[in-house]
Amino acid sequence: MNKKYKIGEFSKLCRVTVKTLRHYEEQGLLLPDEIDRCTGYRYYRLGQAVRLNRILHLKQLGLSLEEIGNVLNSKSGMPDISTVMQKIEHCSAEIERLNHQLSQLKSLLEISTNTKSMNEFKIKSIAARKVASHRRVIESYDILGMLCVNVIGPEMMRVGCTCPEPQYCYTVEHDAEHKDHDIDVEYCEAVGELLPDTPILHFYEAPAIPKALCYDHVGPYTTFSDSSYIDGAWNKEDEAEWRTEIQVPVK
């Protein structure tokens, strides 16, 4: 078939904009089959739709126009392995980011739809308490749960810690400002007696806080600093019953 299509006709046929076709021409990816010297009209052959579809497919896979040009000009007509591996790594990172964002949005929805999730602020004093603490710099709060289960908890059991009722634990951020990564955090759990320090645990009596601004959060939690975890996975199967008290010392 020798019929040629004006650029507008070709754009409708291939369901792409004229602007896109002109851009691909500028990049040397898809040149018109003919340009009328008098009118400047551009004409395309139907067979060029195959090349255009190839460009669009590679673009959907995340290849840049420069990378697409290299593929079209190569003998194999395929991206090299290193490029494909790079795109796979990028997709994996994006999936992880979106899954984290989805989790955060679900938590936000839970809080927004549960009118009982937040109670009123209150001022209270926090008594001195004996604690077993573990301080380290962690990449993110996502690591803290595994750290408690695999490191802190087993060490507390090994040295024979007793945890008086009501059991509770809390975390303190020691950074001067909020950080999303590389967080200097101290995990503390109330214990019945102070034992000798170990390479993992430091025992001390945390001083009383005369005045703290506090409020309760009931339900799932993601990231809280300076918080007291009162009810959680250790004693409540339903995460809707988890209770966390946010404590901010004030003057």
Side-chain angles (χ1 to χ4, degrees):
M1 182 180 294
N2 295 323
K3 181 178 179 180
K4 296 183 179 181
Y5 299 84
K6 292 181 179 179
I7 190 170
E9 296 172 330
F10 192 69
S11 75
K12 291 181 180 180
L13 181 67
C14 298
R15 302 183 67 83
V16 297
T17 64
V18 170
K19 182 179 179 180
T20 297
L21 292 175
R22 289 188 180 276
H23 185 56
Y24 289 168
E25 178 186 351
E26 292 173 358
Q27 299 298 315
L29 297 176
L30 184 66
L31 301 179
D33 183 68
E34 178 186 343
I35 300 177
D36 190 300
R37 294 184 178 179
C38 297
T39 62
Y41 290 167
R42 285 159 167 74
Y43 296 90
Y44 294 82
R45 290 179 294 100
L46 184 61
Q48 290 182 282
V50 175
R51 183 180 177 92
L52 176 58
N53 287 334
R54 177 68 170 158
I55 294 170
L56 297 175
H57 176 65
L58 292 173
K59 192 171 184 293
Q60 286 182 335
L61 294 180
L63 273 71
S64 67
L65 295 184
E66 181 180 356
E67 290 170 332
I68 293 173
N70 293 334
V71 171
L72 296 177
N73 294 328
S74 66
K75 292 182 179 181
S76 65
M78 296 290 291
D80 59 74
I81 294 177
S82 63
T83 299
V84 175
M85 291 299 297
Q86 182 183 23
K87 300 307 174 185
I88 291 175
E89 291 177 2
H90 175 77
C91 284
S92 298
E94 185 66 9
I95 290 172
E96 183 177 352
R97 185 189 69 80
L98 288 173
N99 281 334
H100 178 71
Q101 182 178 337
L102 177 62
S103 175
Q104 296 290 314
L105 287 170
K106 287 182 176 179
S107 296
L108 180 60
L109 178 62
E110 177 71 20
I111 293 172
S112 299
T113 55
N114 184 3
T115 56
K116 296 182 179 180
S117 64
M118 291 293 181
N119 295 324
E120 294 182 357
F121 288 94
K122 57 182 177 287
I123 298 292
K124 62 184 289 187
S125 61
I126 301 172
R129 60 274 187 211
K130 298 181 179 69
V131 298
S133 80
H134 178 83
R135 179 175 174 179
R136 70 163 63 185
V137 175
I138 59 177
E139 175 60 24
S140 71
Y141 260 92
D142 295 334
I143 300 171
L144 188 58
M146 295 298 295
L147 189 63
C148 293
V149 172
N150 297 327
V151 178
I152 301 172
E155 181 69 358
M156 291 182 66
M157 293 181 63
R158 186 187 72 80
V159 300
C161 289
T162 59
C163 299
E165 296 292 341
Q167 298 181 19
Y168 73 96
C169 56
Y170 61 92
T171 57
V172 179
E173 289 184 9
H174 289 280
D175 295 299
E177 59 183 353
H178 172 74
K179 295 175 68 176
D180 291 322
H181 301 285
D182 299 325
I183 308 163
D184 183 0
V185 65
E186 180 181 7
Y187 172 87
C188 300
E189 188 158 347
V191 294
E193 60 180 333
L194 300 180
L195 300 175
D197 286 355
T198 76
I200 295 175
L201 297 175
H202 171 50
F203 293 87
Y204 67 96
E205 183 163 336
I209 301 175
K211 186 181 295 186
L213 178 66
C214 305
Y215 66 90
D216 287 349
H217 168 78
V218 179
Y221 47 82
T222 51
T223 302
F224 291 134
S225 63
D226 297 332
S227 307
S228 176
Y229 301 92
I230 300 170
D231 293 311
W234 57 90
N235 65 345
K236 300 288 185 180
E237 292 185 4
D238 186 355
E239 66 177 19
E241 298 180 0
W242 293 358
R243 180 176 169 225
T244 305
E245 183 176 73
I246 314 301
Q247 303 169 338
V248 182
V250 294
K251 295 181 179 180

Short mmCIF file of all heavy atoms in Angstrom, two decimals, residues 119-142:
data_model
loop_
_atom_site.label_atom_id
_atom_site.label_comp_id
_atom_site.label_asym_id
_atom_site.label_seq_id
_atom_site.Cartn_x
_atom_site.Cartn_y
_atom_site.Cartn_z
N ASN A 119 -7.92 10.97 71.65
CA ASN A 119 -8.57 11.57 72.79
C ASN A 119 -8.05 12.99 72.98
O ASN A 119 -7.14 13.44 72.28
CB ASN A 119 -8.31 10.74 74.05
CG ASN A 119 -8.94 9.37 73.95
OD1 ASN A 119 -10.01 9.22 73.38
ND2 ASN A 119 -8.28 8.36 74.49
N GLU A 120 -8.59 13.70 73.98
CA GLU A 120 -8.16 15.06 74.21
C GLU A 120 -6.76 15.09 74.83
O GLU A 120 -6.33 14.16 75.49
CB GLU A 120 -9.15 15.74 75.15
CG GLU A 120 -10.54 15.94 74.54
CD GLU A 120 -11.47 16.66 75.50
OE1 GLU A 120 -11.02 16.95 76.63
OE2 GLU A 120 -12.61 16.95 75.11
N PHE A 121 -6.07 16.19 74.58
CA PHE A 121 -4.77 16.40 75.21
C PHE A 121 -4.94 16.53 76.71
O PHE A 121 -5.94 17.06 77.19
CB PHE A 121 -4.10 17.66 74.65
CG PHE A 121 -3.61 17.50 73.24
CD1 PHE A 121 -4.42 17.90 72.17
CD2 PHE A 121 -2.36 16.98 72.97
CE1 PHE A 121 -3.98 17.76 70.87
CE2 PHE A 121 -1.91 16.84 71.68
CZ PHE A 121 -2.72 17.23 70.63
N LYS A 122 -3.95 16.08 77.45
CA LYS A 122 -3.98 16.23 78.90
C LYS A 122 -2.57 16.45 79.41
O LYS A 122 -1.59 16.01 78.80
CB LYS A 122 -4.60 15.00 79.57
CG LYS A 122 -3.92 13.68 79.25
CD LYS A 122 -4.65 12.53 79.92
CE LYS A 122 -4.03 11.18 79.55
NZ LYS A 122 -4.33 10.79 78.18
N ILE A 123 -2.47 17.15 80.52
CA ILE A 123 -1.19 17.37 81.19
C ILE A 123 -1.09 16.39 82.35
O ILE A 123 -2.02 16.25 83.15
CB ILE A 123 -1.09 18.81 81.72
CG1 ILE A 123 -1.16 19.82 80.56
CG2 ILE A 123 0.20 19.00 82.51
CD1 ILE A 123 0.04 19.79 79.65
N LYS A 124 0.02 15.67 82.43
CA LYS A 124 0.20 14.70 83.50
C LYS A 124 1.67 14.62 83.86
O LYS A 124 2.55 15.03 83.09
CB LYS A 124 -0.34 13.33 83.09
CG LYS A 124 0.39 12.72 81.90
CD LYS A 124 -0.23 11.41 81.46
CE LYS A 124 0.02 10.30 82.43
NZ LYS A 124 -0.45 8.98 81.92
N SER A 125 1.94 14.08 85.01
CA SER A 125 3.32 13.84 85.42
C SER A 125 3.64 12.37 85.17
O SER A 125 2.76 11.50 85.25
CB SER A 125 3.51 14.16 86.90
OG SER A 125 2.67 13.35 87.70
N ILE A 126 4.90 12.09 84.85
CA ILE A 126 5.34 10.73 84.58
C ILE A 126 6.36 10.35 85.64
O ILE A 126 7.39 11.02 85.80
CB ILE A 126 5.95 10.62 83.16
CG1 ILE A 126 4.91 11.04 82.12
CG2 ILE A 126 6.44 9.21 82.89
CD1 ILE A 126 5.45 11.15 80.71
N ALA A 127 6.06 9.30 86.37
CA ALA A 127 6.91 8.90 87.49
C ALA A 127 8.24 8.35 87.01
O ALA A 127 8.38 7.88 85.87
CB ALA A 127 6.19 7.85 88.34
N ALA A 128 9.24 8.41 87.90
CA ALA A 128 10.53 7.78 87.60
C ALA A 128 10.30 6.28 87.42
O ALA A 128 9.40 5.69 88.03
CB ALA A 128 11.51 8.05 88.73
N ARG A 129 11.10 5.65 86.57
CA ARG A 129 10.93 4.23 86.34
C ARG A 129 12.27 3.59 86.00
O ARG A 129 13.14 4.21 85.40
CB ARG A 129 9.92 3.95 85.23
CG ARG A 129 10.25 4.53 83.86
CD ARG A 129 9.77 5.93 83.73
NE ARG A 129 9.92 6.45 82.39
CZ ARG A 129 10.13 7.73 82.13
NH1 ARG A 129 10.24 8.61 83.11
NH2 ARG A 129 10.23 8.16 80.90
N LYS A 130 12.42 2.34 86.41
CA LYS A 130 13.60 1.56 86.07
C LYS A 130 13.39 1.00 84.66
O LYS A 130 12.32 0.47 84.33
CB LYS A 130 13.80 0.41 87.06
CG LYS A 130 14.03 0.84 88.50
CD LYS A 130 14.23 -0.37 89.37
CE LYS A 130 14.48 0.01 90.82
NZ LYS A 130 13.28 0.60 91.46
N VAL A 131 14.41 1.13 83.81
CA VAL A 131 14.26 0.68 82.42
C VAL A 131 15.49 -0.09 81.96
O VAL A 131 16.60 0.10 82.45
CB VAL A 131 14.03 1.87 81.46
CG1 VAL A 131 12.76 2.62 81.81
CG2 VAL A 131 15.23 2.81 81.45
N ALA A 132 15.23 -0.97 81.02
CA ALA A 132 16.29 -1.59 80.23
C ALA A 132 16.23 -0.92 78.87
O ALA A 132 15.17 -0.89 78.23
CB ALA A 132 16.05 -3.10 80.10
N SER A 133 17.34 -0.33 78.44
CA SER A 133 17.31 0.45 77.20
C SER A 133 18.32 -0.08 76.20
O SER A 133 19.33 -0.70 76.57
CB SER A 133 17.58 1.93 77.48
OG SER A 133 18.95 2.17 77.65
N HIS A 134 18.01 0.19 74.95
CA HIS A 134 18.93 -0.15 73.85
C HIS A 134 18.92 1.02 72.89
O HIS A 134 17.86 1.38 72.35
CB HIS A 134 18.47 -1.43 73.14
CG HIS A 134 19.35 -1.81 71.98
ND1 HIS A 134 20.52 -2.50 72.14
CD2 HIS A 134 19.22 -1.58 70.66
CE1 HIS A 134 21.09 -2.70 70.96
NE2 HIS A 134 20.31 -2.14 70.04
N ARG A 135 20.06 1.63 72.69
CA ARG A 135 20.14 2.80 71.83
C ARG A 135 21.03 2.51 70.64
O ARG A 135 22.12 1.94 70.77
CB ARG A 135 20.70 3.99 72.62
CG ARG A 135 20.84 5.28 71.80
CD ARG A 135 21.29 6.43 72.70
NE ARG A 135 21.58 7.63 71.93
CZ ARG A 135 21.97 8.79 72.46
NH1 ARG A 135 22.09 8.89 73.78
NH2 ARG A 135 22.21 9.84 71.69
N ARG A 136 20.55 2.90 69.46
CA ARG A 136 21.35 2.76 68.24
C ARG A 136 20.77 3.64 67.14
O ARG A 136 19.65 4.14 67.26
CB ARG A 136 21.42 1.31 67.77
CG ARG A 136 20.11 0.76 67.22
CD ARG A 136 20.32 -0.50 66.41
NE ARG A 136 20.86 -1.59 67.22
CZ ARG A 136 21.21 -2.77 66.70
NH1 ARG A 136 21.09 -2.98 65.39
NH2 ARG A 136 21.66 -3.74 67.46
N VAL A 137 21.52 3.81 66.09
CA VAL A 137 21.05 4.55 64.92
C VAL A 137 20.43 3.54 63.96
O VAL A 137 21.08 2.57 63.56
CB VAL A 137 22.19 5.32 64.23
CG1 VAL A 137 21.69 5.98 62.94
CG2 VAL A 137 22.77 6.37 65.17
N ILE A 138 19.16 3.74 63.64
CA ILE A 138 18.46 2.82 62.74
C ILE A 138 18.11 3.53 61.44
O ILE A 138 17.94 4.74 61.40
CB ILE A 138 17.19 2.25 63.39
CG1 ILE A 138 16.22 3.37 63.79
CG2 ILE A 138 17.54 1.39 64.61
CD1 ILE A 138 14.90 2.87 64.37
N GLU A 139 18.00 2.77 60.38
CA GLU A 139 17.70 3.33 59.06
C GLU A 139 16.31 3.96 59.07
O GLU A 139 16.09 5.04 58.55
CB GLU A 139 17.79 2.25 58.00
CG GLU A 139 17.39 2.69 56.59
CD GLU A 139 18.25 3.82 56.04
OE1 GLU A 139 19.40 3.98 56.51
OE2 GLU A 139 17.78 4.55 55.15
N SER A 140 15.33 3.26 59.66
CA SER A 140 13.97 3.78 59.75
C SER A 140 13.25 3.05 60.86
O SER A 140 13.72 2.04 61.38
CB SER A 140 13.22 3.61 58.42
OG SER A 140 12.92 2.24 58.21
N TYR A 141 12.08 3.54 61.24
CA TYR A 141 11.31 2.91 62.30
C TYR A 141 10.80 1.53 61.91
O TYR A 141 10.38 0.74 62.75
CB TYR A 141 10.15 3.81 62.73
CG TYR A 141 10.44 4.59 63.99
CD1 TYR A 141 10.99 5.87 63.91
CD2 TYR A 141 10.21 4.04 65.24
CE1 TYR A 141 11.27 6.59 65.06
CE2 TYR A 141 10.49 4.76 66.39
CZ TYR A 141 11.03 6.03 66.29
OH TYR A 141 11.31 6.73 67.44
N ASP A 142 10.79 1.21 60.62
CA ASP A 142 10.37 -0.11 60.18
C ASP A 142 11.25 -1.20 60.78
O ASP A 142 10.83 -2.35 60.93
CB ASP A 142 10.41 -0.20 58.65
CG ASP A 142 9.42 0.74 57.99
OD1 ASP A 142 8.41 1.07 58.65
OD2 ASP A 142 9.64 1.14 56.84
#
